[in-house]
Amino acid sequence: MALDRWIALVILMISLVYGYTAFFTMDDGLPPFMKFNAIWPSTFPKGLSVLAILCALIILVSPGKDTDGPKVGDIDYRRLLDYKIGQAAALLGMMVLYALLLRPAGFLISTVGFLVISSMILGERKLHILIPIAMIAAGVVWYLVQGVLGIYLRPLPLFLGNGV
């Protein structure tokens, strides 16, 4: 079986468990007044699980490609170790670190650090361009979330900010 079908099979299994949870266990603890609402907390998970199951089934039952070997640009699962798995793992680690540092370091510092270090992992070396762009991007996103949407994001660490 091709790699895309194996991935679709894994997604199908995860979606079936997610769908079972959304359809049969999420709404058990709802208060009585919420049971008459048109949209429940499980509405989005139900739709997401149904769409994921449909997409995975389409991939699984669609006719296969010709098996003359991988074409240029295709992922060859037999040569999986030849790809840049270290970069991918480092980026996943950076995402986890970013999520952990978001509150203690503040939004601006953690976002700028994430953007700069992640770009360096991917191969960017022009720091005189990278740092100002990361600072502007983090500042614009912070302003849009804080100023326009009205959602409070701590911009700086507690010891530098106003302590709120």
Side-chain angles (χ1 to χ4, degrees), residues 2-78:
L3 181 63
D4 57 345
R5 291 179 189 260
W6 280 108
I7 293 171
L9 186 64
V10 169
I11 290 174
L12 177 65
M13 295 301 147
I14 292 170
S15 300
L16 286 172
V17 171
Y18 186 65
Y20 176 81
T21 304
F23 277 97
F24 297 111
T25 63
M26 281 183 79
D27 297 328
D28 290 343
L30 280 179
F33 69 90
M34 286 188 70
K35 294 190 178 186
F36 297 110
N37 289 346
I39 296 178
W40 291 4
S42 65
T43 302
F44 181 71
K46 286 176 183 176
L48 188 63
S49 66
V50 168
L51 285 174
I53 289 169
L54 287 175
C55 289
L57 285 174
I58 288 171
I59 292 172
L60 282 174
V61 300
S62 65
K65 301 181 229 174
D66 29 342
T67 57
D68 347 343
K71 304 206 179 357
V72 176
D74 286 350
I75 295 176
D76 186 7
Y77 65 91
R78 293 176 295 255

Side-chain angles (χ1 to χ4, degrees), residues 74-88:
D74 286 350
I75 295 176
D76 186 7
Y77 65 91
R78 293 176 295 255
R79 297 182 41 230
L80 202 56
L81 295 177
D82 293 343
Y83 298 110
K84 297 182 179 182
I85 296 176
Q87 279 184 342

Side-chain angles (χ1 to χ4, degrees), residues 87 117 119-130:
Q87 279 184 342
I117 295 171
S119 298
M120 290 175 64
I121 289 172
L122 291 175
E124 181 60 47
R125 298 292 180 240
K126 297 178 184 175
L127 290 178
H128 65 282
I129 296 173
L130 181 62

